Amino acid sequence: MGGDTAVAVHRPLTPAQVLSWLPRSATPAQQDSAIQAHFKPSEIRWSNRPDTLHLPGHDRGHNMLDVNIPQYYREGFFSKDTLFHPELPGGRYGVAGDPRPYTVHADNVLTGMLLSSFLLAVVAFVFVKDFMLRHLKSLVYGNRAVNEQKDTGLELQFEIFLNLLAALLLSLLYYFYTLHYIGETFILSSQYYLIGINFLIFVAYYLLRMLLYTMVNNVFFDGKKNGQWIHVLLFIACVECVLFFPIAMMVSYSNISVENIEFYFVLALGFVKLLTIYQCYNIFFRTNVVKLQIILYFCALEIVPLLILWGVLDLTANSLKINF
């Protein structure tokens, strides 16, 4: 050796050396297993040294994604055009068509309101069917003994529900009348507010009419007849609900002319008023000698409030309408 010291140099293992240890018949799966057995993934450590690969006398290179072009390239005749900038909303091109007119059958809120009211009325009628038939017989045959019977709590709730439903149907019908004869634009943010205002007016009309009847009847008649008359008024409002519901459905979902709708409404309203005056005669004026008093009674407590109601509704609609 002559005093020379042998220095063993440790060289890193390469994949080629590992594969050379395997026989020639080794499969790719065996080769992959051998590589994974000798080589383990290690943490990558990136260099933190500054980039010095630039020409002498020049600044270091910039990021290729940092683009800064001159102003005259960024602004031009088509700089704000949507075809030049696809990321901007382009809008619509061409001539705008005529807007689709408002139709009641396309209004989801009114449709849901009518359908839910109909379903609730049908379900309620199933529970108080005997009550309805009993009162219908009393209206037709004038049986005062039926009116003297006290209604149960469920029957009274059913009557109140149908009274509110009648007020809602009348508010919808007057809303349709307003759209046809008065106007379609109002100062309200939504047309449903107009229906709500009409509904409150009709509820107030029913309450004030019943209060007026009670005050007058307490002066001229006894408490027994007054109680009978209150029950009759509640049930007559239920009859109004049954008669006015087909009108609301015909206005919403049929092509019947407005004149036919108005004729049917006047016919139904006339029938209700004749039924009211007939029951008023049976309860208060059957034993009265002077029969003409019923005309004054009916005009003062039924016709005059109805005319006042019409005036209030017309004044409200014209006050809320937008005049161009």
PDB file of all heavy atoms in Angstrom, residues 52-60:
ATOM      1  N   THR A  52     -30.620  36.029  -9.326  1.00  0.00           N
ATOM      2  CA  THR A  52     -29.587  36.923  -9.886  1.00  0.00           C
ATOM      3  C   THR A  52     -29.403  36.726 -11.392  1.00  0.00           C
ATOM      4  O   THR A  52     -28.456  37.246 -11.969  1.00  0.00           O
ATOM      5  CB  THR A  52     -28.238  36.663  -9.190  1.00  0.00           C
ATOM      6  OG1 THR A  52     -27.881  35.284  -9.363  1.00  0.00           O
ATOM      7  CG2 THR A  52     -28.348  36.986  -7.703  1.00  0.00           C
ATOM      8  N   LEU A  53     -30.319  35.988 -11.994  1.00  0.00           N
ATOM      9  CA  LEU A  53     -30.176  35.714 -13.427  1.00  0.00           C
ATOM     10  C   LEU A  53     -30.756  36.859 -14.231  1.00  0.00           C
ATOM     11  O   LEU A  53     -31.870  36.802 -14.752  1.00  0.00           O
ATOM     12  CB  LEU A  53     -30.860  34.380 -13.779  1.00  0.00           C
ATOM     13  CG  LEU A  53     -30.257  33.137 -13.127  1.00  0.00           C
ATOM     14  CD1 LEU A  53     -31.065  31.900 -13.518  1.00  0.00           C
ATOM     15  CD2 LEU A  53     -28.807  32.967 -13.556  1.00  0.00           C
ATOM     16  N   HIS A  54     -30.080  37.959 -14.287  1.00  0.00           N
ATOM     17  CA  HIS A  54     -30.484  39.075 -15.134  1.00  0.00           C
ATOM     18  C   HIS A  54     -29.221  39.758 -15.651  1.00  0.00           C
ATOM     19  O   HIS A  54     -28.111  39.546 -15.148  1.00  0.00           O
ATOM     20  CB  HIS A  54     -31.350  40.066 -14.356  1.00  0.00           C
ATOM     21  CG  HIS A  54     -30.699  40.574 -13.096  1.00  0.00           C
ATOM     22  ND1 HIS A  54     -29.833  41.628 -13.096  1.00  0.00           N
ATOM     23  CD2 HIS A  54     -30.794  40.151 -11.805  1.00  0.00           C
ATOM     24  CE1 HIS A  54     -29.417  41.856 -11.849  1.00  0.00           C
ATOM     25  NE2 HIS A  54     -29.990  40.974 -11.050  1.00  0.00           N
ATOM     26  N   LEU A  55     -29.422  40.582 -16.654  1.00  0.00           N
ATOM     27  CA  LEU A  55     -28.275  41.229 -17.283  1.00  0.00           C
ATOM     28  C   LEU A  55     -27.654  42.243 -16.332  1.00  0.00           C
ATOM     29  O   LEU A  55     -28.361  42.891 -15.544  1.00  0.00           O
ATOM     30  CB  LEU A  55     -28.718  41.916 -18.580  1.00  0.00           C
ATOM     31  CG  LEU A  55     -29.228  40.985 -19.693  1.00  0.00           C
ATOM     32  CD1 LEU A  55     -29.722  41.816 -20.881  1.00  0.00           C
ATOM     33  CD2 LEU A  55     -28.135  40.030 -20.120  1.00  0.00           C
ATOM     34  N   PRO A  56     -26.334  42.428 -16.415  1.00  0.00           N
ATOM     35  CA  PRO A  56     -25.684  43.448 -15.568  1.00  0.00           C
ATOM     36  C   PRO A  56     -26.211  44.843 -15.910  1.00  0.00           C
ATOM     37  O   PRO A  56     -26.357  45.203 -17.080  1.00  0.00           O
ATOM     38  CB  PRO A  56     -24.196  43.292 -15.915  1.00  0.00           C
ATOM     39  CG  PRO A  56     -24.079  41.912 -16.465  1.00  0.00           C
ATOM     40  CD  PRO A  56     -25.367  41.624 -17.156  1.00  0.00           C
ATOM     41  N   GLY A  57     -26.467  45.624 -14.913  1.00  0.00           N
ATOM     42  CA  GLY A  57     -26.983  46.963 -15.096  1.00  0.00           C
ATOM     43  C   GLY A  57     -28.491  47.051 -15.206  1.00  0.00           C
ATOM     44  O   GLY A  57     -29.038  48.139 -15.345  1.00  0.00           O
ATOM     45  N   HIS A  58     -29.212  45.941 -15.131  1.00  0.00           N
ATOM     46  CA  HIS A  58     -30.677  45.904 -15.209  1.00  0.00           C
ATOM     47  C   HIS A  58     -31.248  45.328 -13.913  1.00  0.00           C
ATOM     48  O   HIS A  58     -30.568  44.577 -13.191  1.00  0.00           O
ATOM     49  CB  HIS A  58     -31.141  45.065 -16.401  1.00  0.00           C
ATOM     50  CG  HIS A  58     -30.762  45.639 -17.730  1.00  0.00           C
ATOM     51  ND1 HIS A  58     -31.560  46.518 -18.435  1.00  0.00           N
ATOM     52  CD2 HIS A  58     -29.633  45.461 -18.495  1.00  0.00           C
ATOM     53  CE1 HIS A  58     -30.969  46.862 -19.556  1.00  0.00           C
ATOM     54  NE2 HIS A  58     -29.781  46.230 -19.627  1.00  0.00           N
ATOM     55  N   ASP A  59     -32.478  45.705 -13.660  1.00  0.00           N
ATOM     56  CA  ASP A  59     -33.149  45.156 -12.474  1.00  0.00           C
ATOM     57  C   ASP A  59     -33.442  43.687 -12.675  1.00  0.00           C
ATOM     58  O   ASP A  59     -33.423  43.164 -13.789  1.00  0.00           O
ATOM     59  CB  ASP A  59     -34.456  45.912 -12.196  1.00  0.00           C
ATOM     60  CG  ASP A  59     -34.182  47.379 -11.862  1.00  0.00           C
ATOM     61  OD1 ASP A  59     -33.076  47.671 -11.382  1.00  0.00           O
ATOM     62  OD2 ASP A  59     -35.099  48.208 -12.097  1.00  0.00           O
ATOM     63  N   ARG A  60     -33.743  43.044 -11.549  1.00  0.00           N
ATOM     64  CA  ARG A  60     -34.063  41.619 -11.634  1.00  0.00           C
ATOM     65  C   ARG A  60     -35.404  41.441 -12.371  1.00  0.00           C
ATOM     66  O   ARG A  60     -36.228  42.357 -12.451  1.00  0.00           O
ATOM     67  CB  ARG A  60     -34.140  41.010 -10.241  1.00  0.00           C
ATOM     68  CG  ARG A  60     -35.203  41.618  -9.346  1.00  0.00           C
ATOM     69  CD  ARG A  60     -35.075  41.061  -7.927  1.00  0.00           C
ATOM     70  NE  ARG A  60     -36.074  41.604  -7.043  1.00  0.00           N
ATOM     71  CZ  ARG A  60     -37.302  41.109  -6.893  1.00  0.00           C
ATOM     72  NH1 ARG A  60     -37.677  40.046  -7.601  1.00  0.00           N
ATOM     73  NH2 ARG A  60     -38.164  41.667  -6.065  1.00  0.00           N
TER      74      ARG A  60
END
